[in-house]
Amino acid sequence: MNMKKELPCEMVRRDIKELIIERKLTVDTLSRITKINQQWFIDFISQKKDIENISEYDIRFLTDLTSVLKMGIDFDCDSRLKSIIETLIIEYEMDTKTLSLCSGTNEDVMCRFLSNTNLVSTEEKYELAVRIMFIYFVFKFPYYEKY
């Protein structure tokens, strides 16, 4: 069996096309998420441009985004929430007490959830998810440059 190795640029192009066709993301939506010009997406999909036509930062962000959107959707809800909580703790160097105070969650529930998701009821998971996703949104809110 002769399998041709797919180049990174081709993989990203394939992933973007899949997100547009199967997940119904529009070029406008991708542009708003990534801050990459709509025309670049159109040219990239039609193979008029390559991935090297954008900055290294944009390449990294775009490849991470497409990977997460493709694979992350297949994670079960508990794993997804757990990874978001762990990311908040690691990225912002917070302990569970601080994160629970900022998000309005019960620290005991969060700690039980992080140690074993089966130790938390469905109702507790729901409340934890809603509060954590709100704080995640707030923490990820874009920084506005001073004029």
Side-chain angles (χ1 to χ4, degrees):
M1 186 184 319
N2 184 7
M3 293 186 72
K4 182 181 172 188
K5 184 173 168 92
E6 196 171 22
L7 298 172
C9 183
E10 294 167 354
M11 289 172 29
V12 173
R13 186 176 284 119
R14 180 203 64 219
D15 291 348
I16 290 172
K17 285 180 181 179
E18 185 178 311
L19 290 171
I20 291 171
I21 294 166
E22 294 178 19
R23 304 283 166 92
K24 306 299 182 202
L25 281 176
T26 66
V27 169
D28 181 51
T29 299
L30 288 169
S31 178
R32 288 171 185 262
I33 294 168
T34 62
K35 309 292 188 258
I36 298 171
N37 184 290
Q38 285 183 30
Q39 189 60 49
W40 180 85
F41 278 104
I42 294 166
D43 292 344
F44 181 69
I45 292 166
S46 64
Q47 299 183 344
K48 293 178 184 172
K49 296 224 177 187
D50 287 323
I51 197 138
E52 293 80 18
N53 296 112
I54 56 176
S55 73
E56 280 187 44
Y57 173 84
D58 287 340
I59 292 170
R60 240 182 7 258
F61 182 72
L62 187 58
T63 54
D64 288 350
L65 176 71
T66 55
S67 296
V68 169
L69 287 174
K70 282 188 61 179
M71 296 182 312
I73 209 74
D74 296 329
F75 292 170
D76 66 275
C77 294
D78 286 354
S79 297
R80 195 178 306 161
L81 177 58
K82 188 173 180 179
S83 68
I84 291 168
I85 293 169
E86 290 170 343
T87 298
L88 285 170
I89 290 170
I90 292 166
E91 188 172 330
Y92 297 104
E93 298 182 2
M94 302 169 75
D95 57 22
T96 55
K97 181 174 185 70
T98 304
L99 183 56
S100 68
L101 289 170
C102 288
S103 63
T105 57
N106 181 305
E107 182 184 11
D108 178 60
V109 171
M110 187 186 309
C111 290
R112 283 188 285 124
F113 181 80
L114 290 171
S115 69
N116 182 345
T117 60
N118 295 321
L119 297 176
V120 178
S121 71
T122 302
E123 293 79 16
E124 290 172 316
K125 288 178 187 180
Y126 175 78
E127 184 172 341
L128 182 62
V130 169
R131 292 175 180 275
I132 287 297
M133 291 312 298
F134 177 75
I135 201 70
Y136 183 77
F137 170 78
V138 170
F139 285 7
K140 290 295 185 179
F141 207 73
Y143 172 77
Y144 295 101
E145 291 186 31
K146 297 175 185 168
Y147 293 97

